[in-house]
Amino acid sequence: MKYSIIIPYRDREEHLSILLPALYEKFHNKEYEIIVAEQNDNEKFRLSSLYNIAFKYTSGDLIIFHDVDYVPSSNVSYQLKNNHPTYPVRQVLFLNNDLTLKNDNDIPSGYHHFKNDVGNHWGGVFMMSREDFKLINGFNPLYIGWGKEEEETHLRLLEKNLICERNDEGLFYALDHYDNCPSITDSNFIENHHLLNNYKNNLHIGYQNILADVEEFITKNNIKWLKINNFKYENTN
């Protein structure tokens, strides 16, 4: 079993410096590769597109999609549960810049319960087999900016009658960062909601429809670093 860990990234050097040692410790006795998918421009972040493009550079059997600000604790398992797509996050503790615990008043109210159980939240870290990623056609690359792409991915899994599992335990630490949520009047934020509401219309659009300019660098500790820009959507239908 080979693990491919994809980390979407831009301007989070401090977070990456904390996450990578934790991943080295988790995977030190396993066959693995880490793909840092860096969006190398100043445009709105394109999470789905970064995941899709990075997937093409992976060689693993199990693909782990991993936010740079989610750091695993000792009880986190990166194994698929019953060989199904799996969400390994059960609890999240939010940290300050100095890595102390945040006060509840400093955490958005919608995340207060994460310290006990994340509930049905489908984001942060999730994983599936290489075959299942291809089966669902990867991520919808039409999402631009913040929000909703991970929810559509969950729906794509369900559309293919794939069972989405959640581990019984799995504590992650969420590193401090500014709130990415845009204004409700943001045009891409509005469009992302529209895409989610009409996701069935776009199931044919996936990882093969997004192209970009990619510079690839091989670094130490099984890290493949991709600098990605100039995204191009290609309708192959």
Side-chain angles (χ1 to χ4, degrees):
M1 169 72 75
K2 182 176 182 179
Y3 302 82
S4 294
I5 307 153
I6 301 175
I7 304 172
Y9 173 82
R10 185 171 63 185
D11 300 330
R12 295 284 187 89
E13 184 176 356
E14 184 177 355
H15 290 174
L16 196 61
S17 70
I18 296 172
L19 173 61
L20 288 178
L23 293 178
Y24 299 154
E25 183 176 350
K26 283 287 186 183
F27 291 94
H28 75 278
N29 59 348
K30 298 178 175 65
E31 185 181 5
Y32 75 94
E33 62 182 359
I34 295 174
I35 295 89
V36 177
E38 178 182 2
Q39 184 167 329
N40 192 30
D41 61 26
N42 295 316
E43 305 298 322
K44 288 184 177 178
F45 205 61
R46 299 182 60 152
L47 179 64
S48 292
S49 294
L50 291 172
Y51 277 147
N52 282 335
I53 291 167
F55 172 78
K56 300 173 187 178
Y57 289 80
T58 64
S59 58
D61 310 292
L62 194 162
I63 315 299
I64 302 170
F65 304 94
H66 208 300
D67 279 3
V68 71
D69 56 356
Y70 266 52
V71 179
S73 72
S74 59
N75 74 350
V76 169
S77 170
Y78 288 102
Q79 304 298 321
L80 294 182
K81 189 173 183 179
N82 301 318
N83 208 34
H84 296 147
T86 301
Y87 184 53
V89 184
R90 176 57 72 177
Q91 296 170 276
V92 178
L93 295 179
F94 292 84
L95 303 183
N96 294 304
N97 270 328
D98 62 1
L99 303 184
T100 59
L101 289 177
K102 275 184 180 290
N103 186 288
D104 279 355
N105 294 332
D106 297 324
I107 301 171
S109 59
Y111 298 101
H112 282 178
H113 66 282
F114 276 29
K115 64 183 178 183
N116 298 315
D117 194 301
V118 297
N120 292 322
H121 182 255
W122 187 261
V125 184
F126 56 102
M127 48 199 183
M128 67 184 80
S129 69
R130 185 175 205 85
E131 293 75 17
D132 284 346
F133 181 89
K134 291 182 176 180
L135 181 63
I136 67 170
N137 199 21
F139 297 80
N140 181 350
L142 299 180
Y143 284 88
I144 299 174
W146 190 91
K148 302 304 176 183
E149 61 275 279
E150 290 161 334
E151 292 175 51
E152 174 164 329
T153 304
H154 188 196
L155 292 171
R156 286 185 171 216
L157 292 165
L158 297 178
E159 280 289 321
K160 292 297 184 180
N161 297 315
L162 294 171
I163 298 171
C164 300
E165 300 273 14
R166 189 181 299 275
N167 284 346
D168 296 328
E169 61 179 12
L171 171 64
F172 282 80
Y173 297 101
L175 303 176
D176 187 47
H177 62 85
Y178 59 87
D179 189 355
N180 296 323
C181 185
S183 163
I184 60 173
T185 61
D186 180 89
S187 60
N188 291 119
F189 187 60
I190 294 170
E191 175 61 17
N192 287 354
H193 281 77
H194 176 75
L195 287 170
L196 180 63
N197 290 335
N198 298 277
Y199 77 94
K200 289 190 177 183
N201 296 334
N202 295 316
L203 294 174
H204 64 287
I205 299 173
Y207 72 101
Q208 299 186 72
N209 298 102
I210 189 70
L211 304 174
D213 295 335
V214 181
E215 290 184 90
E216 179 182 355
F217 304 89
I218 306 299
T219 67
K220 62 181 180 179
N221 294 321
N222 300 321
I223 294 178
K224 187 180 297 183
W225 196 297
L226 309 177
K227 288 184 175 288
I228 305 168
N229 59 24
N230 194 22
F231 295 96
K232 298 175 285 288
Y233 170 71
E234 182 177 68
N235 190 345
T236 58
N237 298 291

